């Protein structure tokens, strides 16, 4: 069994590879080796894109999502290492302040 910290770290690295792959995909579109066709309606709806969006716009949205997953998993791995696994530690109990400490 792999520890949660290791699991989050590995997933973070896998997500980084996805970001790199999507960056190469965008490069292929920009170079004209992949046609920048109109985005499928399902992608426009799912990613809340402009109706005139293209394949490049979809790939940008997917890459941003993968980057968020990467950052989130590395963040959780870092929190576990720092013995700060509970997100409740970051909550402010003063009702006059925002609930999250910044």
């Amino acid at each position: 069994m792999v520890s949660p910290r290791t699991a989050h770290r590995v997933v973070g690295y896998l997500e980084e590879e996805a970001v790199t792959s999507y960056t190469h995909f965008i490069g292929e579109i920009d170079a004209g080796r992949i046609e920048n066709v109109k985005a499928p309606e399902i992608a426009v709806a799912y990613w809340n894109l402009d109706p005139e969006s293209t394949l490049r716009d979809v790939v940008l949205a997917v890459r941003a999502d993968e980057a968020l997953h990467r950052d989130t998993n590395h963040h959780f791995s870092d929190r576990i290492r720092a013995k700060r696994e509970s997100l409740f530690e970051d909550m402010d109990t003063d009702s006059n302040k925002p609930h999250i400490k910044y």
Side-chain angles (χ1 to χ4, degrees), residues 38-54 58:
K38 184 172 173 26
E41 287 182 31
I42 193 167
V44 170
Y46 184 83
W47 296 106
N48 195 29
L49 299 173
D50 184 280
E52 299 303 313
S53 293
T54 63
V58 174

Side-chain angles (χ1 to χ4, degrees), residues 26-27 29-30 35-37 53-61:
I26 292 165
I29 294 169
D30 291 346
E35 187 178 357
N36 192 21
V37 298
S53 293
T54 63
L55 175 61
R56 187 178 194 283
D57 299 317
V58 174
V59 177
L60 285 170

Side-chain angles (χ1 to χ4, degrees), residues 19-96:
V19 170
T20 299
S21 295
Y22 286 116
T23 299
H24 291 302
F25 191 177
I26 292 165
E28 293 296 302
I29 294 169
D30 291 346
R33 290 186 285 271
I34 295 175
E35 187 178 357
N36 192 21
V37 298
K38 184 172 173 26
E41 287 182 31
I42 193 167
V44 170
Y46 184 83
W47 296 106
N48 195 29
L49 299 173
D50 184 280
E52 299 303 313
S53 293
T54 63
L55 175 61
R56 187 178 194 283
D57 299 317
V58 174
V59 177
L60 285 170
V62 173
R63 183 180 67 172
D65 191 51
E66 298 296 343
L68 178 62
H69 297 162
R70 173 202 60 204
D71 295 345
T72 299
N73 277 282
H74 284 309
H75 173 75
F76 282 135
S77 182
D78 292 344
R79 287 186 69 96
I80 292 167
R81 182 170 188 243
K83 307 275 191 252
R84 294 186 62 234
E85 294 178 50
S86 173
L87 297 176
F88 291 108
E89 294 173 9
D90 294 340
M91 301 294 283
D92 198 322
T93 57
D94 184 343
S95 63
N96 295 321

Side-chain angles (χ1 to χ4, degrees), residues 2 6 11 36 41:
V2 176
T6 301
V11 171
N36 192 21
E41 287 182 31

